[in-house]
Amino acid sequence: MSSAEQGDLQLIELRDVFKSFGKNEVLKGVDLTVRAHSVVGLIGPSGSGKSTLLRCINLLEPVDSGSVFVGGVELTAGGVDADDVRKRIGIVFQSFNLFPHLSILDNITLAPRRVRGVGRRPAEEAAYVLLDRFGLRDKASSFPDRLSGGQQQRVAIIRALAMEPEVMLFDEVTSALDPELVGEVLSAVRELAALGMTLVLATHEMGFCRDVADQVAFLKDGRIVEQGTPAKLFSDPQHPDTQQFLRRVIEAGRL
Ligand code: ADP
Ligand code: MG
């Protein structure tokens, strides 16, 4: 495959996805395409459906209608094993959710060993490669409560990477952090992007999103209102809702 063809490869595709919680219609016909090795940022007001959209991509939430494809496989077709899907799609949340009673090394190796059947030695060797990459090797035998929030979140990212996913989903991964710890987590995400990992990130960090994303989608009330390159969407938004949202973001000093 030529690099141009590879660049065009659609790794994730959502077609006309609808999702309600009871009477609350949260996604109202979302279409989204994520090319392999690209970074897609999801922005929009609180409650617009960003988290739900991410959760529908890895089947943490079943969609009501529409389809989700990952790597050409329709996840929303009957008979797809959701656990299999989740092995291919890593997700990191605002809250780190590390297992408090396990060391950092065991937090990272648990799923590869239990779910993928990797032996202890190779799982630990792989974990140390990731700990080295993110500057956390010296924390391997520590327990989560000895780490700062930024370090814990980086471990949560490593833990997801240890499953060797094809895609990583990030849901407001810096929102629970003290401001001085945000940078180290954003650097970790930036590093993954530089390595060519396919990323979808819901974020309030507009400056970061503008820097790292190849495409940005603005959501409002369960719809993608506008989508484009960050250069275009942040500097020359077309839709009045996007314009208003970005004006507020700028007023709040967040862009
Ligand atoms: P965002 O991430 O953009 O803030 P969410 O996807 O979290 O938006 O939420 C969109 C809407 O869906 C909100 O009205 C929220 O209350 C609702 N919602 C999200 N998850 C659930 C759930 N598990 N059960 C019921 N309602 C939910
Ligand atoms: Mg959210």
Side-chain angles (χ1 to χ4, degrees):
M1 203 183 278
S2 77
S3 59
E5 277 169 319
Q6 232 159 23
D8 287 332
L9 191 71
Q10 295 179 1
L11 194 50
I12 303 177
E13 194 180 352
L14 276 66
R15 285 190 204 151
D16 209 23
V17 167
F18 282 78
K19 172 74 187 174
S20 298
F21 293 105
K23 291 201 177 108
N24 185 8
E25 197 170 49
V26 173
L27 299 179
K28 302 172 184 167
V30 170
D31 295 304
L32 182 72
T33 299
V34 180
R35 290 195 327 276
H37 313 297
S38 75
V39 178
V40 171
L42 303 176
I43 62 170
S46 187
S48 55
K50 304 180 295 295
S51 296
T52 305
L53 178 53
L54 291 178
R55 295 167 65 84
C56 285
I57 294 177
N58 79 341
L59 299 188
L60 281 173
E61 294 289 352
V63 307
D64 295 334
S65 67
S67 25
V68 179
F69 295 83
V70 174
V73 176
E74 185 181 355
L75 308 187
T76 38
V80 170
D81 182 346
D83 288 335
D84 260 357
V85 169
R86 287 189 211 114
K87 282 182 218 167
R88 298 167 50 203
I89 307 173
I91 187 162
V92 181
F93 303 98
Q94 178 177 330
S95 52
F96 329 127
N97 300 322
L98 298 177
F99 302 112
H101 59 292
L102 294 181
S103 71
I104 297 308
L105 189 63
D106 288 343
N107 261 280
I108 296 167
T109 57
L110 183 72
R113 294 180 59 203
R114 292 271 173 83
V115 180
R116 293 181 63 224
V118 180
R120 176 189 284 273
R121 280 283 292 279
E124 292 187 347
E125 279 163 18
Y128 275 114
V129 170
L130 290 166
L131 285 164
D132 275 336
R133 175 176 300 154
F134 293 100
L136 290 167
R137 172 181 274 267
D138 61 328
K139 303 296 180 196
S141 56
S142 301
F143 284 80
D145 66 355
R146 309 304 298 173
L147 273 60
S148 74
Q151 290 169 334
Q152 289 188 54
Q153 189 60 301
R154 286 187 285 145
V155 171
I157 292 171
I158 291 173
R159 184 173 59 171
L161 289 173
M163 291 293 278
E164 301 183 3
E166 292 162 54
V167 182
M168 287 279 280
L169 311 176
F170 290 104
D171 193 358
E172 308 285 1
V173 288
T174 58
S175 295
L177 297 175
D178 292 335
E180 74 272 21
L181 302 176
V182 167
E184 65 188 72
V185 173
L186 293 183
S187 298
V189 177
R190 203 184 293 274
E191 162 128 7
L192 296 181
L195 289 167
M197 183 117 213
T198 309
L199 309 178
V200 186
L201 33 110
T203 185
H204 288 123
E205 299 285 343
M206 297 299 156
F208 175 71
C209 184
R210 185 170 56 185
D211 287 349
V212 80
D214 300 297
Q215 284 282 313
V216 185
F218 170 69
L219 269 86
K220 189 176 178 224
D221 295 335
R223 292 193 178 87
I224 294 180
V225 170
E226 185 167 351
Q227 188 180 337
T229 63
K232 175 79 180 152
L233 191 127
F234 284 112
S235 345
D236 186 22
Q238 299 298 302
H239 196 285
D241 290 341
T242 321
Q243 292 166 355
Q244 186 191 45
F245 174 76
L246 289 175
R247 207 156 43 232
R248 290 195 179 143
V249 165
I250 289 164
E251 277 163 15
R254 297 201 344 245
L255 184 65

